[in-house]
Amino acid sequence: MMEMRRHLRVLLVDDDQADRLIIKRTLRKRSSEVDIDEATSVMEGLAILQTRSFDVIILDYKMPKANGIEMIKELRSRPDLGQVAIIMMSSSEEEDVAVACIEAGAQDFILKSDLDKLNIQRSLMHAQKRFELEHKLHQNYLNVKHLSEKDPLTGLSNRYHFNQIMDMLINHESPTRSDVALVLMDLDNFKYINDTMGHDAGDRLLINFSKRIKSQLRKDESFARLGGDEFAIIMHGMRSIEQVEKATKRIHDATKTKMTIEGSEIQCNASVGTAIYPLQAATKDELFQFADVAMYTAKREAKGSFKLYDPMMQDIFSRQYNIQQGIKRILQESTFQMHFQPVINLDTGDEEGYEALIRWPEEQLSYVPDEFIPIAEKNNDIHEIGNWVIDHALNQIAKWQEKKPNTFIAINISPVQLQLRKNIQYLIEKTEHYGVKPESVVLEITETTLFEKQQVIKDSLKRLSDYGFIISLDDFGVGYSSISHLVNFPIDIVKLDKSLFTIDESEEKRIAIFEALAGMLKRLDMKVVAEGIETVEQMALCRLLNIDHGQGFYFSKPQSATTIEQTRLKFQENVM
Ligand code: C2E
Ligand code: MG
Ligand code: MG
């Protein structure tokens, strides 16, 4: 509670000299313990308030230029000046004026004609008490407001408050309204860190991250934690896309530094997406949606990157979204399909094995594996898909081996699958379950960066190779085609990519490249398979180069198990 001071400090603001004299006299008559300062206008009063503080302001309602109510409004909007009780005076008896003064924030209203009669000291006391009470109520209100607007962990605005700020900026009809850029950020490995290091470490990471970003922001940029590991920033007053890009880049750069949590260094990048109102989005909701699309595009393309929204993203995004949802549905309904493509021994012409190739079920919108497998890899659905393929392909080859022993099955395995030990276990268990010899199972692995980086993948491959599976390096000739992989990993077979047949070069040069690659692989003692053989010339070339196996439309397209059984394995004839 504010303590009553021995000397009451009063500021008297009135343009009328005679009125001021009356008030001063009245005040001094009642008590000698008052210090009075005088101002003859609102401007002068405000200027004095900048230099000194007062307990009470006695304010005339009617003054030239600015009236008393305007002064109250100015005071109450400036917390640095406004902590003072106000008594409003007027010579008018109109009730409207009195109400307006109280509504604007005055604690009391008195008529000038009553000044002499009134116990002014009492009015001063009342005004002060009332002000203290209001002040306390206001403080309580602010505390509650703070609680409901702030994220307790980081002290940043929460989603609710952030929305309010957005509403204010975007619905603002003022002519000076400027562009609003919304930056959304999502930590990339937060779940992993939270799961492996515990929630305390996760909390510390979030606090650390928010501090780091905050240090990069201007005062007028609002920063919020929207929930979990999602953060948002609003920047306004941006004058060009370049400016937005520069500002976002500055923030994005700050997300890249390492942090030390519980003694260990952690790199926790954020994917960042930005959209601009009104340049790109017409409403607040659209702004959120577009920034979200940009952020997810950043996450998909390369975790920890930054993207500014581009309308093209919307189409790609919804297509990817459809695929993502489709995968989950198809897995649930268990309706993925499997085709098999014959692999031919080029020396004997025998059909020695089949490559299992997954197919999206035939429905209105179907997608090819080249499109949906990478999405499944990013969403971690590849584990379930991979296991479905393993189960299906092994079950199939077990049946075919009954009729035609030693037929092999080639199964495509994503490097992502090799990251989990339980997938390796699953593969081994299923092979045993169906009684298939591991030497008749070829595991086709594509080269990726992952391949290179992760020790766990190397370990998995070694384990599979030691168990007896045949390891095949798929799509050789495009992408990495690293010779060191051939030496450092237990690779038995190399599959030359089909694109080698269609390189944009002269026929002569194409053949020379093909020849050099095949020669090199043979010298390294690799078995070589050529895929994508479509013509008799291509087949002849492969034979000439001593390539072991061939695969392609020239021999057969991938087909359903039933078609393979009827047309190639001729099971139908055996049955009849
Ligand atoms: P891949 O393993 O290199 O498979 C060969 C692809 O070439 C197949 O495409 C096949 O249909 C196609 N192809 C075969 N012969 C010819 C030909 O003569 N000419 C042309 N132009 N193409 C031919 P598909 O089935 O669309 O699969 C594409 C890729 O998707 C596969 O490439 C593989 O990387 C991946 N994939 C397919 N099924 C699976 C699966 O079950 N698991 C995983 N992880 N990946 C799979
Ligand atoms: Mg393959
Ligand atoms: Mg291939």
Side-chain angles (χ1 to χ4, degrees):
M1 250 238 213
M2 215 189 282
E3 219 178 274
M4 284 299 284
R5 289 176 194 86
R6 266 164 55 80
H7 277 246
L8 195 69
R9 296 167 306 173
V10 176
L11 175 64
L12 177 58
V13 187
D14 195 331
D15 61 313
D16 191 314
Q17 199 184 5
D19 283 352
R20 284 205 308 274
L21 264 172
I22 299 173
I23 296 163
K24 275 196 292 184
R25 211 178 303 136
T26 322
L27 276 173
R28 295 224 160 95
K29 214 162 37 184
R30 309 281 164 183
S31 161
S32 56
E33 294 165 343
V34 274
D35 296 331
I36 305 171
D37 278 66
E38 290 171 65
T40 58
S41 70
V42 168
M43 294 305 281
E44 200 188 327
L46 287 172
I48 294 176
L49 278 164
Q50 302 259 27
T51 59
R52 258 161 293 164
S53 56
F54 294 88
D55 300 310
V56 181
I57 301 175
I58 299 177
L59 182 58
D60 185 23
Y61 169 70
K62 206 164 163 214
M63 283 181 286
K65 289 193 187 140
N67 70 28
I69 290 197
E70 282 167 79
M71 177 151 174
I72 298 180
K73 283 186 180 156
E74 174 74 16
L75 280 175
R76 293 305 183 226
S77 70
R78 292 180 58 181
D80 55 322
L81 297 183
Q83 310 292 356
V84 55
I86 299 171
I87 299 173
M88 197 72 147
M89 288 179 308
S90 172
S91 35
S92 148
E93 282 191 45
E94 283 170 55
E95 220 172 276
D96 290 4
V97 175
V99 171
C101 291
I102 300 295
E103 272 182 358
Q107 274 68 42
D108 208 350
F109 179 86
I110 48 179
L111 286 171
K112 281 190 174 175
S113 51
D114 284 346
L115 267 178
D116 259 343
K117 290 177 257 158
L118 257 178
N119 182 345
I120 186 87
Q121 192 71 28
R122 250 179 67 193
S123 171
L124 287 174
M125 286 257 294
H126 276 174
Q128 253 195 311
K129 285 285 168 206
R130 207 160 182 171
F131 176 76
E132 279 169 26
L133 201 66
E134 284 172 14
H135 183 70
K136 254 175 78 178
L137 277 174
H138 186 65
Q139 276 305 327
N140 285 346
Y141 162 75
L142 286 181
N143 287 344
V144 172
K145 190 161 134 75
H146 181 85
L147 281 180
S148 64
E149 287 176 348
K150 296 293 170 196
D151 165 47
L153 182 69
T154 58
L156 301 176
S157 296
N158 60 19
R159 184 184 283 272
Y160 164 77
H161 189 219
F162 194 70
N163 257 315
Q164 280 188 323
I165 299 172
M166 293 258 287
D167 280 338
M168 220 173 65
L169 286 171
I170 285 183
N171 294 332
H172 213 229
E173 295 296 324
S174 98
T176 55
R177 186 195 61 170
S178 57
D179 285 359
V180 176
L182 174 64
V183 183
L184 291 182
M185 294 182 285
D186 191 285
L187 299 186
D188 289 327
N189 300 318
F190 182 69
K191 199 182 152 354
Y192 176 76
I193 290 165
N194 217 25
D195 288 351
T196 53
M197 296 183 65
H199 290 264
D200 281 351
D203 283 355
R204 224 150 313 138
L205 179 83
L206 292 172
I207 293 169
N208 233 310
F209 177 82
S210 57
K211 277 193 190 145
R212 209 167 59 183
I213 300 299
K214 209 168 178 179
S215 69
Q216 295 297 317
L217 299 179
R218 292 196 323 234
K219 267 218 176 78
D220 62 345
E221 292 171 338
S222 312
F223 185 24
R225 177 173 173 224
L226 300 183
D229 58 352
E230 248 185 275
F231 293 85
I233 297 166
I234 299 178
M235 302 184 290
H236 56 96
M238 293 283 157
R239 256 166 269 110
S240 65
I241 291 194
E242 288 73 30
Q243 209 183 343
V244 172
E245 272 190 307
K246 222 169 120 186
T248 316
K249 192 170 174 315
R250 192 186 72 223
I251 293 164
H252 182 235
D253 284 345
T255 67
K256 286 197 244 172
T257 33
K258 288 198 171 115
M259 292 181 259
T260 312
I261 306 283
E262 291 182 348
S264 27
E265 268 214 332
I266 291 180
Q267 173 97 43
C268 190
N269 290 340
S271 297
V272 180
T274 303
I276 305 169
Y277 166 93
L279 186 73
Q280 298 174 319
T283 62
K284 186 188 88 180
D285 287 346
E286 230 176 51
L287 183 62
F288 248 111
Q289 188 197 333
F290 291 177
D292 211 38
V293 166
M295 187 191 74
Y296 272 97
T297 308
K299 222 180 202 15
R300 281 194 180 288
E301 282 188 12
K303 283 193 172 177
S305 65
F306 148 62
K307 286 270 181 264
L308 180 64
Y309 176 75
D310 178 319
M312 288 269 289
M313 287 175 183
Q314 196 69 268
D315 297 340
I316 299 169
F317 181 78
S318 45
R319 190 178 169 91
Q320 285 180 337
Y321 181 80
N322 286 342
I323 294 176
Q324 201 178 311
Q325 297 303 308
I327 290 173
K328 302 220 186 296
R329 173 179 49 81
I330 297 165
L331 278 173
Q332 209 163 32
E333 296 168 355
S334 198
T335 48
F336 270 115
Q337 280 160 26
M338 183 112 274
H339 278 186
F340 298 88
Q341 186 176 39
V343 184
I344 313 294
N345 181 322
L346 291 178
D347 199 24
T348 62
D350 288 344
E351 203 163 295
E352 294 191 338
Y354 299 89
E355 177 175 6
L357 294 159
I358 193 168
R359 291 290 173 263
W360 192 276
E362 270 177 47
E363 44 189 45
Q364 225 173 9
L365 284 172
S366 276
Y367 303 93
V368 296
D370 274 331
E371 191 172 10
F372 72 79
I373 292 289
I375 292 175
E377 286 176 335
K378 282 186 180 130
N379 285 321
N380 283 323
D381 285 326
I382 192 65
H383 303 290
E384 199 175 339
I385 292 182
N387 287 346
W388 179 86
V389 168
I390 287 167
D391 183 54
H392 214 79
L394 289 173
N395 188 6
Q396 192 60 66
I397 201 63
K399 283 184 196 151
W400 288 346
Q401 282 179 350
E402 283 173 24
K403 314 274 176 190
K404 204 177 156 198
N406 298 329
T407 310
F408 68 80
I409 185 83
I411 304 176
N412 291 285
I413 304 281
S414 154
V416 179
Q417 285 172 265
L418 297 178
Q419 286 177 295
L420 292 189
R421 285 188 203 292
K422 65 174 185 205
N423 290 339
I424 311 297
Q425 200 52 40
Y426 184 86
L427 178 55
I428 292 173
E429 273 167 22
K430 284 289 163 184
T431 308
E432 281 167 10
H433 173 77
Y434 289 113
V436 176
K437 285 183 287 199
E439 310 86 75
S440 64
V441 179
V442 178
L443 304 176
E444 299 196 356
I445 325 280
T446 43
E447 274 182 315
T448 63
T449 33
L450 255 145
F451 206 108
E452 206 157 26
K453 276 189 212 151
Q454 302 213 354
Q455 185 62 31
V456 52
I457 291 186
K458 203 169 175 175
D459 294 346
S460 296
L461 278 179
K462 180 159 182 332
R463 189 157 162 229
L464 293 169
S465 177
D466 288 349
Y467 185 75
F469 292 116
I470 311 295
I471 310 291
S472 171
L473 189 61
D474 208 346
D475 304 339
F476 197 79
V478 290
Y480 290 88
S481 303
S482 156
I483 312 284
S484 73
H485 287 164
L486 300 175
V487 186
N488 293 329
F489 292 87
I491 304 222
D492 308 293
I493 301 178
V494 175
K495 277 186 100 163
L496 293 176
D497 194 73
K498 53 183 176 290
S499 66
L500 289 170
F501 286 128
T502 49
I503 306 174
D504 198 15
E505 288 288 351
S506 67
E507 171 93 5
E508 208 177 317
K509 223 171 181 172
R510 242 189 345 251
I511 293 175
I513 294 172
F514 206 78
E515 203 176 326
L517 265 180
M520 187 260 305
L521 293 169
K522 287 264 102 188
R523 224 170 298 154
L524 286 171
D525 240 7
M526 298 284 166
K527 257 197 166 179
V528 182
V529 180
E531 64 168 28
I533 299 178
E534 292 183 1
T535 65
V536 66
E537 292 81 13
Q538 288 167 350
M539 199 265 291
L541 174 67
C542 291
R543 288 191 65 173
L544 191 74
L545 296 174
N546 274 327
I547 289 175
D548 305 87
H549 283 105
Q551 214 181 318
F553 298 164
Y554 174 73
F555 306 106
S556 166
K557 289 197 168 180
Q559 286 167 324
S560 71
T562 321
T563 312
I564 296 268
E565 285 170 10
Q566 287 169 356
T567 61
R568 311 197 68 87
L569 290 166
K570 308 276 190 326
F571 284 176
Q572 220 64 345
E573 287 165 31
N574 294 348
V575 170
M576 284 200 287

